Amino acid sequence: MLSMLSLCCAGCGIQVRETGVTTPTFTIITATLPPTSTPLPSQTSLPPLPSPTVAPVAGTASTQINVRSDPSTASEVLGVIAANAKVQIVGKDPGSNWWQIIYPQGKDGKGWVTAKYITTPGKPEVPVIGGADTNTNNSNKAIIQQKLNVRSGPGTDFNSIGTLNAQDMVNLIGKDANGAWLQIEFTAGPEGKGWVNAVFVQAKNLENIPIITEAGDVIGTGTPTLIPPTATATLIPAWLDNDSPSQPIANVIFESTGTHTLIYNGDVSAPQGDTDDWIAFTSYSHTVLISLECKGSLTIHTELLKNNLSTGMEIACNTALKELTIEPKVNYLVHIQAQKSNNFLQYTNYTITIQTR
């Protein structure tokens, strides 16, 4: 009866409290689920850091020069830069014989010019582009080790069709039967090809280069069985640049708020080739510093002229910066002359540096 009353009252919303009656306790067990792992956000690769941008270094062409696709006289000519034209230098070859410049007509908007015909206010601090380290084991590229002739065939009996300079990069096409001569791409040669002595070429995997006969036929590949003979370095006469006291190869005016340094690289030779170079400068100060670095025969005579007259000041090869007292705003000439010899060619490559205080 009591149970019936409790149910009825619960249905009527009336609460009944019983004193002294024990109500059983029910324990509710709640299942605890294992913790759900929250997925971490996937890592997004950061974009690569941009390559540092090299600030171009200004330069001026001292004469009309070719712009080439690679740092080599064997490469394609992209165009011509006129004398006194301004250029922007962004790189150099390993030997500092070539400057890479901004040139819209070239690949990637760049081209190469011979460094010796570009005057700069100082030594350009630009990165080295290319070189022997860039050659892979399967590469057909090679580096020229010294100035040498390019010939129409594999031997010294063939005509010279041009020259290459140290650190020039060339593309190998083939080799002769004993591997002593290498055929290269050479735009000035017949069918765009030429031959160079393998002794003066740094290259890899020559055993994979095809063997080519003098007639131009490919007869397979193979490791040469003969050791190329040790050759004697062949000197090449300096290129005739036709400069003179009235038309110097380089001419700079130093100014207190402008150019302070001239660095020029050239060469002279005798009795063949270019025997004389003329470099002109005018300074705002009473003092200049001059140094002369030389390679080769070292048989040159260098003197300073004032208004085309000798000052009696001589500049010796491979000496540190020498301080000279001059007259401001007066035209001076540095005359570099190869000493003649009746027995053999005298060739000297030089770099002259002229600085103001």
Side-chain angles (χ1 to χ4, degrees), residues 107-120:
K107 181 181 179 181
D108 299 327
K110 299 173 184 175
W112 292 87
V113 293
T114 308
K116 66 184 293 184
Y117 301 120
I118 300 294
T119 58
T120 58

Side-chain angles (χ1 to χ4, degrees), residues 175-232:
K175 64 191 175 193
D176 67 345
N178 61 11
W181 288 81
L182 301 174
Q183 190 179 56
I184 65 170
E185 293 180 359
F186 192 69
T187 55
E191 300 180 352
K193 303 173 183 177
W195 291 84
V196 294
N197 194 319
V199 173
F200 306 118
V201 177
Q202 179 183 349
K204 297 179 181 178
N205 289 346
L206 291 181
E207 65 274 11
N208 297 326
I209 303 297
I211 298 174
I212 299 178
T213 65
E214 293 182 13
D217 299 325
V218 178
I219 58 174
T221 62
T223 303
T225 56
L226 299 179
I227 300 175
T230 302
T232 304

Side-chain angles (χ1 to χ4, degrees), residues 237-255:
W239 179 69
L240 289 170
D241 49 34
N242 298 318
D243 65 331
S244 65
S246 59
Q247 292 183 329
I249 190 66
N251 191 352
V252 65
I253 298 176
F254 296 119
E255 297 175 337

